[in-house]
Amino acid sequence: MTISSLAFPEQQRIAVVGDLVTDVLALASGPLWTDSDTPARIRLTGGGAGANTAAWLAELGAAVTFVCAVGDDDTGRARTSELRSVDVAALTTAEPTGTVVVLVRPDGGRSMLPDRGANDRLTAEHVTSALAACTPAHVHVSGYTLLGAGSRAAGLAALAWAYERGIECSASLASAAPLVATGAAAVREWLTRTDVVLANHDEALVVTPVSPIRREPRRRRWPRAASPRS
């Protein structure tokens, strides 16, 4: 099966709860010189794990609502306008729209320097209201929303909203470093309310004692807590 052959059922909407940022991509010409200059190619682009997920789902033909937070600034308006095939439910905040500096090594490896900005002002009230309005068949929550201290309540509210209504939900683990900082036990507790967990090898190793991943992504189910849904 090719990506272009994927099809989504009509009238079934996917809601994505996540981050929206401007990516500042810096492709270094070689190893970074400490306290000096390293030539690089630099460009600005729209980004954020949540926004990227929403954009790709829409590209594949899904009906998508993207729930996020932006600043009351030109950057936020530019980023949301770029998501032309996505219904954007953005909470406008006093914080500036988020920015991530992405340092790209010549071998393709990346290191990220995030300034979450408005993303950390996403609220549980905004998320649950947006989900109720779009009535999705599936809810996906970006791991960055769960790992951000300011947005965590909003991410957990999205998982709970879907879980309590019997709506399938998924979450990504986002990045190994913030997973380590948050703690594996807390992350595993959050994931008891998901049906599908998306992670790369390093991320999975943070929250599981033995890697659940071989060479390709696998569906991973977590034990559920007792609830009206079970």
Side-chain angles (χ1 to χ4, degrees):
M1 177 184 291
T2 63
I3 289 178
S4 60
S5 70
L6 293 174
F8 293 89
E10 294 184 5
Q11 308 303 320
Q12 291 196 5
R13 179 167 293 274
I14 300 174
V16 177
V17 179
D19 45 316
L20 178 66
V21 303
T22 296
D23 279 344
V24 182
L25 301 176
L27 177 57
S29 60
L32 295 180
W33 283 77
T34 303
D35 299 326
S36 189
D37 295 344
T38 303
R41 298 188 64 180
I42 297 175
R43 66 186 179 95
L44 303 180
T45 184
N52 290 338
T53 299
W56 275 109
L57 285 169
E59 179 71 16
L60 293 171
V64 184
T65 295
F66 177 45
V67 186
C68 62
V70 299
D72 185 11
D73 49 34
D74 291 342
T75 302
R77 287 183 281 274
R79 295 290 81 82
T80 55
S81 68
E82 291 167 352
L83 297 169
R84 290 180 290 274
S85 299
V86 176
D87 291 334
V88 180
L91 173 66
T92 302
T93 78
E95 291 290 323
T97 301
T99 302
V100 178
V101 176
V102 184
L103 304 177
V104 185
R105 300 189 301 273
D107 64 3
R110 302 179 303 161
S111 296
M112 278 72 75
L113 304 173
D115 178 354
R116 289 185 53 74
N119 291 298
D120 257 349
R121 297 294 180 264
L122 185 63
T123 66
E125 293 78 12
H126 177 74
V127 167
T128 54
S129 177
L131 293 176
C134 73
T135 60
H138 184 98
V139 175
H140 175 74
V141 181
S142 166
Y144 287 109
T145 301
L146 292 166
L147 295 170
S151 58
R152 183 171 302 150
L156 293 174
L159 294 180
W161 186 92
Y163 188 83
E164 291 164 1
R165 289 161 178 78
I167 296 171
E168 186 176 73
C169 57
S170 58
S172 64
L173 293 187
S175 181
L179 285 169
V180 171
T182 301
V187 175
R188 286 197 296 266
E189 174 61 26
W190 303 338
L191 297 179
T192 60
R193 293 193 169 192
T194 62
D195 296 288
V196 181
V197 178
L198 306 175
N200 65 25
H201 187 263
D202 291 343
E203 294 158 4
L205 283 177
V206 174
V207 298
T208 60
V210 179
S211 173
I213 297 179
R214 294 173 182 165
R215 291 186 177 273
E216 69 283 337
R218 291 177 58 189
R219 186 179 178 94
R220 171 75 169 162
R221 284 193 174 272
W222 298 81
R224 294 186 178 280
S227 80
R229 182 179 174 180
S230 54

